[in-house]
Amino acid sequence: MTSFTLTPVEKGIMRCRHTGTLSSEDVQMLAHFLHDYRGKLLIDLTGTTGEECARHIAHFRPMMPTAAVFGADLDPSEIDIPESYYTHPVKFAATEDEALAWLREQ
């Protein structure tokens, strides 16, 4: 079983919910998804530690679509990368409602 789930939220927005420690197979599957996906992403880290998630988000950041992250205590500076026309905006939000509102405006 994978350590994340992907479910539709509404047209053009998918939820990626972290459900456990990412295995190397999970990392590969998530990388393929991020490479192919063209919509917006709601990243739900509820119940996880910020430490593990920050490391993975920093790794995936260059390939992430427009995304809003909520549910874990993360320092946005930990995943900052130089601005480039190759990257999409990623926002850290305090709540799911705030994250969805921001995604809908993008």
Side-chain angles (χ1 to χ4, degrees):
M1 176 166 233
T2 62
S3 59
F4 63 93
T5 58
L6 296 166
T7 55
V9 175
E10 58 189 52
K11 184 177 180 174
I13 300 176
M14 291 287 288
R15 174 190 310 269
C16 180
R17 185 166 193 283
H18 188 297
T19 58
T21 304
L22 290 171
S23 68
S24 58
E25 292 83 16
D26 293 336
V27 169
Q28 290 177 356
M29 286 176 27
L30 192 52
H32 285 279
F33 169 77
L34 292 173
H35 180 266
D36 295 338
Y37 183 62
R38 298 294 174 245
K40 298 173 189 173
L41 197 57
L42 177 67
I43 302 174
D44 182 352
L45 303 178
T46 305
T48 63
T49 64
E51 202 173 283
E52 177 196 3
C53 295
R55 183 171 39 92
H56 288 299
I57 290 174
H59 174 75
F60 288 123
R61 177 65 180 96
M63 63 182 93
M64 287 172 66
T66 299
V69 182
F70 76 98
D73 187 24
L74 295 171
D75 179 359
S77 68
E78 291 179 5
I79 66 154
D80 282 345
I81 59 174
E83 288 200 26
S84 163
Y85 61 92
Y86 293 111
T87 60
H88 299 280
V90 173
K91 176 175 177 56
F92 289 90
T95 66
E96 180 176 357
D97 290 340
E98 181 184 322
L100 276 171
W102 182 81
L103 280 174
R104 289 176 181 132
E105 292 173 6
Q106 299 306 302

